[in-house]
Amino acid sequence: MRKYISLICLLLISTTSCKSLINKQERNTLKVDNNESEIIVLEVNHLKPKISKLLLKKRIGFNILNKKCNYDTIISDLKKEALNINGNVVVIDKNTPYNTPLPTRVCFKINASIYRVDLKYLDDIKARSNIEINSSDNSTEINIYRFSGSELLKYDLIINDSLIGRIKANYKKSIMISKPGIYEIWLKQSKTEKIKIDIEKGKKYFLRLDFDYNAFNVRPVLKIIDPKQGKKEFEFFNAKK
């Protein structure tokens, strides 16, 4: 009788050990390195991963209490969230920028989904995330944009003494440049300094209309934005028609 009890005990112990070993192996195959750089971020215009498990949908970014709402900070927070729940792909579903009086000037509110994608499909997704959207276009252009703000504040955009259009809230416009050279850009209704840009063939330039706030007035400011940042901001927000 004792022999049978001993055998049963041994079988139970070995079965339990095997199960715990299998579960441990499964966790290891799904484990994500504790490194934000290993998390893949797919922007709005990228295709969503097909073979994946949705772990979390999250809305993050600009609100009255959150002053750390620049794009890089939000993406870093989303990557940390992904690491915490063992995800490896973050998909930006919606990206809404705002002009604010905060020191960062521009804040973002982002709707994102965090997925767990099987490791054998990650290389393909990573390669896809590194492809520049519309990067095959070799046109020369100046892209001007403005996020949300007062509808009462509108400014005529002048390039080399030619009226291009009126910049209002939620506005963006691409101006094709046929001849390289130095261009002067300024706003008619304000005392902003003229911006001079030496336009080179095949390059894209991004100008964003921001505002400087003080106790007495609001002053518009045209800023030249880094092309990589400008491309993201310009393409991933919907301007009013």
Side-chain angles (χ1 to χ4, degrees):
M1 186 69 179
R2 285 185 180 180
K3 279 186 179 182
Y4 291 119
I5 292 172
S6 299
L7 283 170
I8 292 168
C9 288
L10 283 170
L11 283 169
L12 287 172
I13 291 167
S14 62
T15 304
T16 306
S17 301
C18 286
K19 281 184 179 178
S20 63
L21 183 61
I22 290 167
N23 289 336
K24 188 176 179 181
Q25 286 174 342
E26 286 178 350
R27 285 196 300 271
N28 286 340
T29 57
L30 293 175
K31 190 177 179 181
V32 178
D33 292 336
N34 192 23
N35 185 347
E36 285 184 34
S37 64
E38 296 298 319
I39 305 298
I40 299 169
V41 177
L42 296 180
E43 301 287 357
V44 175
N45 289 350
H46 280 289
L47 295 173
K48 308 294 185 292
K50 290 182 179 179
I51 305 172
S52 59
K53 180 182 179 183
L54 177 62
L55 302 178
L56 178 70
K57 281 188 171 291
K58 190 174 181 71
R59 192 176 187 185
I60 185 172
F62 176 67
N63 59 51
I64 296 172
L65 301 176
N66 184 14
K67 295 182 179 180
K68 294 181 179 178
C69 50
N70 65 71
Y71 186 83
D72 290 338
T73 300
I74 292 172
I75 294 301
S76 178
D77 289 344
L78 284 170
K79 286 181 175 183
K80 287 173 185 173
E81 185 77 48
L83 287 171
N84 287 338
I85 60 175
N86 208 27
N88 53 13
V89 175
V90 174
V91 174
I92 307 301
D93 299 313
K94 186 179 178 182
N95 181 357
T96 307
Y98 296 87
N99 277 113
T100 73
L102 298 173
T104 54
R105 292 283 183 267
V106 176
C107 276
F108 293 84
K109 184 177 287 183
I110 287 176
N111 292 6
S113 302
I114 298 175
Y115 292 88
R116 175 69 214 172
V117 178
D118 194 292
L119 298 180
K120 63 184 176 182
Y121 298 109
L122 270 190
D123 287 341
D124 179 56
I125 293 174
K126 194 175 290 186
R128 199 192 315 158
S129 70
N130 290 329
I131 297 172
E132 288 282 346
I133 299 170
N134 299 329
S135 60
S136 59
D137 184 2
N138 292 320
S139 59
T140 305
E141 60 188 42
I142 300 173
N143 300 287
I144 313 257
Y145 60 104
R146 173 189 168 188
F147 298 140
S148 58
S150 171
E151 294 287 350
L152 299 175
L153 301 175
K154 300 176 183 179
Y155 304 93
D156 289 336
L157 175 68
I158 311 293
I159 297 181
N160 284 356
D161 295 325
S162 296
L163 177 62
I164 303 300
R166 175 162 284 195
I167 302 179
K168 51 190 177 181
N170 293 306
Y171 170 96
K172 65 179 178 180
K173 186 180 182 71
S174 295
I175 300 117
M176 307 302 293
I177 305 297
S178 58
K179 185 179 178 182
I182 295 175
Y183 285 75
E184 288 188 337
I185 305 170
W186 50 288
L187 302 174
K188 187 177 178 181
Q189 292 92 337
S190 71
K191 296 179 180 179
T192 54
E193 296 180 1
K194 292 182 179 180
I195 292 177
K196 288 187 178 182
I197 304 179
D198 189 359
I199 302 294
E200 298 178 29
K201 187 177 180 180
K203 287 194 174 182
K204 291 179 174 58
Y205 300 85
F206 295 88
L207 289 176
R208 187 180 69 211
L209 178 61
D210 287 347
F211 294 91
D212 278 342
Y213 297 84
N214 60 43
F216 303 101
N217 65 357
V218 178
R219 187 172 69 90
V221 181
L222 270 176
K223 290 184 178 178
I224 300 173
I225 306 299
D226 173 79
K228 189 175 180 181
Q229 179 186 348
K231 183 178 174 67
K232 251 178 208 174
E233 293 181 352
F234 187 83
E235 292 187 354
F236 300 141
F237 95 96
N238 296 319
K240 286 184 179 177
K241 301 291 185 184

